[in-house]
């Protein structure tokens, strides 16, 4: 198949899996993003290792998955938020583990290991804050955020192809334009209004606020991941998703958007 055909097929199948897993139950949602957390971490560490860095993959994976599972348990009410106090000492175990690895640049290794947890596992963990209302799991909010990210990408691509002239950030991503960004914002706002008619776990003004944040920080998330790839001199973060690259290529917008959405909704709801 051509690259375009691969992209279309992977997009359709991936979209169906996402919509189904998020909608079906909190447990399918949990498993889906647990897999993305682990795969994203391993992909990040593989990229660094290929350039001669030596992050502790095992410790990073354990810390990231543990953070994700703990966040889910806290938001479900299975354990109290007091358990979050275990995070600082557990994170510091990465320093202890480095004593036994006998690698060069041990503090650089620890720093890169924890950057992976902070950059990838922490945002996926914060999804649980969005997903759980005080009394139940809200598939509407998670699915709505995904729809808004997809609509922002689609609007930006269509407007950029049709009207794009002024480069948004040529040093990092020469293909992005201000016209494309405006197209993404407008389509996201339209989709947010439609979502408010059917997904009523958030009010209209909240959906519109989410759309603006997605449009702004989704693009910045893409640029941050492009900066990472340029610094490591790679075209794609991986090859896991045919036609789309790796986990970081596909979910770079979501990774940066989620912390801002959590802050916004926690302050205004």
């Amino acid at each position: 198949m051509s690259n375009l055909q691969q992209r279309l097929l992977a997009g359709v199948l991936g979209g169906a899996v996402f919509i189904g897993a998020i909608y079906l139950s909190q447990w399918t949602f949990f498993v889906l993003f647990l897999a993305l957390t682990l795969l994203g971490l391993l992909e990040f560490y593989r990229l660094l290792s290929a350039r001669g860095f030596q992050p502790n993959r095992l410790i990073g994976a354990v810390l990231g998955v543990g953070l994700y599972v703990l966040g889910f348990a806290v938001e479900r009410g299975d354990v109290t938020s007091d358990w979050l106090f275990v995070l600082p000492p557990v994170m510091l175990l990465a320093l202890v583990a480095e004593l036994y690895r006998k690698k060069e640049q041990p503090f650089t290794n620890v720093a890169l290991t924890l950057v992976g947890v902070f950059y990838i596992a922490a945002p996926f963990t914060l999804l649980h804050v969005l997903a759980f209302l005080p009394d139940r799991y809200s598939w509407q909010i998670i699915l709505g955020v995904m729809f808004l990210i997809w609509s922002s990408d689609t609007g930006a691509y269509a407007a950029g192809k049709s009207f794009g002239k002024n480069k948004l950030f040529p040093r990092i991503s020469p293909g992005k334009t201000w016209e494309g960004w405006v197209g993404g914002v407008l389509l996201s706002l339209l989709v947010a209004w439609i979502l408010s008619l059917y997904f009523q776990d958030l009010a209209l003004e909240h959906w519109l606020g989410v759309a603006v944040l997605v449009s702004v920080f989704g693009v910045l998330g893409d640029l941050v991941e492009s900066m990472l790839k340029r610094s490591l001199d790679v075209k794609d973060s991986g090859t896991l998703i045919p036609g789309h690259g790796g986990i970081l290529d596909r979910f770079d917008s979501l990774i940066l958007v989620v912390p801002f959405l959590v802050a916004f909704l926690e302050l205004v709801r």
Side-chain angles (χ1 to χ4, degrees):
M1 290 189 293
S2 69
N3 184 261
L4 177 60
Q5 290 174 322
Q6 289 181 0
R7 285 180 64 87
L8 289 173
L9 181 59
V12 170
L13 293 178
V17 169
F18 260 75
I19 292 171
I22 293 168
Y23 175 77
L24 188 59
S25 77
Q26 58 185 284
W27 292 106
T28 51
F29 156 78
F30 169 79
V31 170
L32 172 66
F33 284 99
L34 174 63
L36 292 179
T37 298
L38 180 58
L39 291 172
L41 281 167
L42 294 178
E43 184 176 274
F44 178 75
Y45 294 140
R46 179 186 58 77
L47 288 172
L48 294 175
S49 298
R51 298 298 295 174
F53 298 104
Q54 297 178 311
N56 192 323
R57 300 189 193 193
L58 177 61
I59 290 294
V62 170
L63 290 176
V65 168
L67 176 64
Y68 178 87
V69 173
L70 178 59
F72 181 76
V74 169
E75 291 302 318
R76 264 179 47 89
D78 297 326
V79 299
T80 68
S81 58
D82 291 344
W83 277 88
L84 296 174
F85 286 110
V86 307
L87 292 177
V90 169
M91 292 289 184
L92 289 174
L93 289 179
L95 288 166
V96 178
E98 200 64 26
L99 288 171
Y100 299 92
R101 295 182 73 212
K102 300 178 182 179
K103 302 288 186 181
E104 295 182 359
Q105 303 296 324
F107 274 83
T108 299
N109 299 337
V110 171
L112 292 174
T113 300
L114 295 181
V115 163
V117 176
F118 179 78
Y119 175 46
I120 298 163
F124 283 137
T125 299
L126 286 172
L127 276 174
H128 302 318
V129 179
L130 298 179
F132 286 93
L133 299 176
D135 58 340
R136 59 189 169 84
Y137 166 66
S138 173
W139 58 267
Q140 292 185 5
I141 296 176
I142 300 299
L143 198 54
V145 169
M146 299 305 302
F147 284 151
L148 289 172
I149 289 175
W150 295 337
S151 63
S152 177
D153 290 345
T154 302
Y157 178 81
K161 283 291 185 182
S162 302
F163 312 108
K165 293 181 180 179
N166 299 290
K167 301 298 183 182
L168 178 65
F169 215 116
R171 181 172 61 86
I172 298 296
S173 184
K176 285 183 169 50
T177 63
W178 283 102
E179 292 83 0
W181 177 73
V182 171
V185 173
L186 293 176
L187 185 57
S188 293
L189 290 172
L190 174 61
V191 171
W193 173 72
I194 295 172
L195 287 173
S196 72
L197 301 177
Y198 300 98
F199 289 7
Q200 297 182 353
D201 283 352
L202 291 181
L204 171 60
E205 60 270 23
H206 295 156
W207 279 121
L208 293 175
V210 169
V212 171
L213 290 174
V214 164
S215 300
V216 173
F217 292 102
V219 171
L220 291 174
D222 193 357
L223 290 171
V224 166
E225 201 251 348
S226 294
M227 179 175 63
L228 169 67
K229 290 189 294 186
R230 280 178 174 269
S231 69
L232 298 176
D233 195 24
V234 295
K235 182 178 182 293
D236 295 316
S237 66
T239 58
L240 183 64
I241 309 173
H244 291 267
I247 297 297
L248 301 183
D249 291 319
R250 197 67 190 92
F251 298 97
D252 49 6
S253 297
L254 181 66
I255 286 171
L256 196 68
V257 160
V258 169
F260 291 94
L261 296 184
V262 169
F264 169 67
L265 292 176
E266 288 295 302
L267 288 172
V268 303
R269 280 194 293 185

